[in-house]
Amino acid sequence: MPGPTDLLNATRRTNLAMLADVQPAPPDPILGLTEAYRADPREGKVNLGVGVYCDEHGKTPVLDAVRQAERVLAETQTTKSYLPIDGDPGYHQAVRDLLLGPERDAQLGDRVRVCATPGGTGGLRVAGDLIHAAFPDAKLWLSTPTWPNHPAVFAAAGLTTRNYRYFDAGSNALDFDGMMADLEQAADGDAILLHGCCHNPTGVDPSPDQWAAIAAFLANRRVLPVIDLAYQGFGTGLDDDAAGVHAVLDACPDALVVCSYSKNFSLYRERAGAVVLMAESADAARDAMSRMKQGVRRIYSNPPAHGGDIVRTILKTPALRDQWTAELDAMRSRINDTRAGLTRGLDERGVALSPDGNAFIDRQSGMFTLTGLTKDQVRALRERHAIYAVDSGRINVAGITPDRLDAVCEAIGDAVGNG
Ligand code: LMR
């Protein structure tokens, strides 16, 4: 019999080993880039891959409102015992306030239930699990393109996905007619995923009129709207960025809205998110939420508390809420200034990322721009200039600091010329 040391030292495979048969997974297309970026020894490297806001010094800040809320929590928290499966009721109210505003919140009452989730990604999985458990034949419709993790998360939940046209690369704008024509193909009982604002990866959102048309379409079909709202406040403002969601909630009998507070509260690693479930009646909402809770119990049992406690503390304390809103406004302004700077910087160098120039960058919303750079050009950016972007050509505008703006414009010019 080999002793434990013999096994440890064995270099030859035994026929008892199982994990050696596991095939390695490819690096994640977004988070894998950050690993490569961290390992890059070059000075002046720039990470435009992952969607994380950076301030003008290239740091992802802990917001002052968050620090103050954490101080309050450190002094007042009395237990670390488990939260309920769907999270803390005080957090539920904060999520409702921010998403619905007081009037709609009161109107909807018990037709709405909230489930706290580990970030937006956790919320998407929980939503996917509910859809799959309740409607095993449902297909989930995703925009082309969409966040690369969407298909993977929903496939892991067992859902079949379909795609609808969304982005017209020729005009760098929404292909609204194509989108609506494809959504017409959704079957009774399907689910349709929409990005609430700041579409990831294109930065292209429907106009208010288009949202109204989308809502009217959804209202006339037996399909479930699922809205991913990960960037509320990063587009035009907290209320405007929720206007599309409101149009859908006001028109439809039911919907799921998945909220993330990673970006707007800069709470990335605390994993604060939620699923807001709206059903046709209070009873239907209660029953559907019981299914969602059953799903949660089977994945992670109950949610982490800290991020949600911070969000709750900030939103219920007027001074902290004002402080946070000001910090959020500053993040949004920096993103918009950087968009303008990038457009100008490329224009000045005679670099045009589309036949119509670069004005599309300035028209788009949120952190992301789909630049139109090819995979080879993205590789050239990385290999020659230590600038990291997603293979699809998506860049995170909020990763460009003022002192690197010129270098980024130069590098893009070089990649476009030589890529
Ligand atoms: C992104 O798209 O970069 C962000 O949503 C972060 C992530 O998890 O991919």
Side-chain angles (χ1 to χ4, degrees):
M1 277 286 282
T5 322
D6 300 320
L7 278 177
L8 275 178
N9 292 337
T11 49
R12 213 158 30 87
R13 280 197 50 192
T14 71
N15 58 4
L16 301 178
M18 287 174 63
L19 294 179
D21 291 335
V22 178
Q23 294 303 309
D28 182 82
I30 294 177
L31 297 186
L33 274 179
T34 301
E35 290 169 27
Y37 167 83
R38 287 203 178 113
D40 191 330
R42 287 175 287 178
E43 285 285 320
K45 59 187 177 177
V46 184
N47 188 2
L48 307 183
V50 67
V52 169
Y53 173 85
C54 298
D55 64 15
E56 59 277 25
H57 308 294
K59 295 272 174 287
T60 300
V62 179
L63 301 184
D64 282 342
V66 167
R67 274 199 201 290
Q68 290 177 45
E70 284 185 309
R71 272 188 216 114
V72 172
L73 289 169
E75 277 160 25
T76 56
Q77 199 170 49
T78 53
T79 181
K80 295 284 186 190
S81 182
Y82 293 125
L83 286 178
I85 295 173
D86 55 353
D88 163 49
Y91 177 64
H92 295 167
Q93 192 52 52
V95 170
R96 296 176 66 121
D97 281 354
L98 195 57
L99 178 71
L100 306 172
E103 267 177 40
R104 193 172 280 97
D105 181 26
Q107 245 165 32
L108 288 171
D110 288 343
R111 282 183 57 204
V112 164
R113 301 251 172 174
V114 179
C115 182
T117 56
T121 308
L124 291 166
R125 173 59 191 265
V126 166
D129 277 348
L130 172 69
I131 296 167
H132 186 57
F135 315 105
D137 298 328
K139 292 180 290 305
L140 178 78
W141 290 74
L142 299 171
S143 64
T144 303
T146 193
W147 181 47
N149 212 24
H150 274 148
V153 168
F154 293 117
L159 284 171
T160 307
T161 53
R162 291 279 183 275
N163 299 309
Y164 62 86
R165 278 170 282 172
Y166 187 83
F167 182 66
D168 174 31
S171 59
N172 281 295
L174 178 61
D175 176 5
F176 185 67
D177 292 343
M179 170 180 180
M180 298 314 286
D182 288 351
L183 290 183
E184 286 285 351
Q185 307 305 313
D188 205 57
D190 280 355
I192 293 175
L193 187 118
L194 301 160
H195 297 224
C197 64
C198 308
H199 184 272
N200 180 4
T202 65
V204 170
D205 292 329
S207 66
D209 284 350
Q210 289 167 334
W211 270 116
I214 294 167
F217 163 79
L218 294 168
N220 284 308
R221 296 288 299 272
R222 188 173 176 271
V223 290
L224 182 66
V226 182
I227 307 185
D228 186 353
L229 187 66
Y231 299 92
Q232 190 185 0
F234 268 38
T236 355
L238 281 170
D239 293 336
D240 284 351
D241 290 349
V245 181
H246 294 162
V248 173
L249 296 183
D250 292 349
C252 296
D254 39 28
L256 300 176
V257 185
V258 180
C259 303
S260 164
Y261 304 116
S262 296
K263 279 82 178 179
N264 51 11
F265 284 80
S266 200
L267 277 177
Y268 304 86
R269 65 176 60 172
E270 301 299 353
R271 312 310 296 136
V275 181
V276 177
L277 179 153
M278 181 186 79
E280 195 171 25
S281 67
D283 286 355
R286 182 201 56 219
D287 293 350
M289 182 51 77
S290 73
R291 274 283 174 193
M292 190 174 286
K293 286 165 66 176
Q294 184 184 48
V296 167
R297 177 68 171 137
R298 291 171 182 174
I299 326 177
Y300 54 83
S301 192
N302 49 76
H306 190 62
D309 282 348
I310 293 169
V311 170
R312 172 180 54 78
T313 305
I314 291 175
L315 292 181
K316 75 162 198 214
T317 315
L320 290 185
R321 192 178 179 127
D322 288 349
Q323 166 80 30
W324 168 66
T325 313
E327 290 181 276
L328 177 60
D329 290 349
M331 290 195 278
R332 185 174 59 250
S333 296
R334 195 184 106 63
I335 294 172
N336 290 336
D337 290 350
T338 309
R339 276 188 184 281
L342 184 60
T343 308
R344 207 171 39 242
L346 293 171
D347 286 351
E348 281 166 8
R349 288 167 177 81
V351 179
L353 290 182
S354 88
D356 298 329
N358 304 303
F360 72 90
I361 298 176
D362 221 4
R363 279 199 301 272
Q364 295 169 351
S365 193
M367 300 167 99
F368 302 120
T369 282
L370 202 55
T371 55
L373 292 175
T374 64
K375 209 170 160 181
D376 285 345
Q377 290 165 342
V378 167
R379 193 175 53 232
L381 274 184
R382 186 168 62 240
E383 288 177 356
R384 293 212 288 267
H385 303 281
I387 295 176
Y388 287 72
V390 182
D391 273 352
S392 62
R394 186 194 85 172
I395 61 167
N396 168 24
V397 177
I400 306 175
T401 50
D403 66 329
R404 302 300 293 148
L405 180 63
D406 282 338
V408 169
C409 293
E410 286 288 333
I412 292 177
D414 177 55
V416 171
N418 304 300

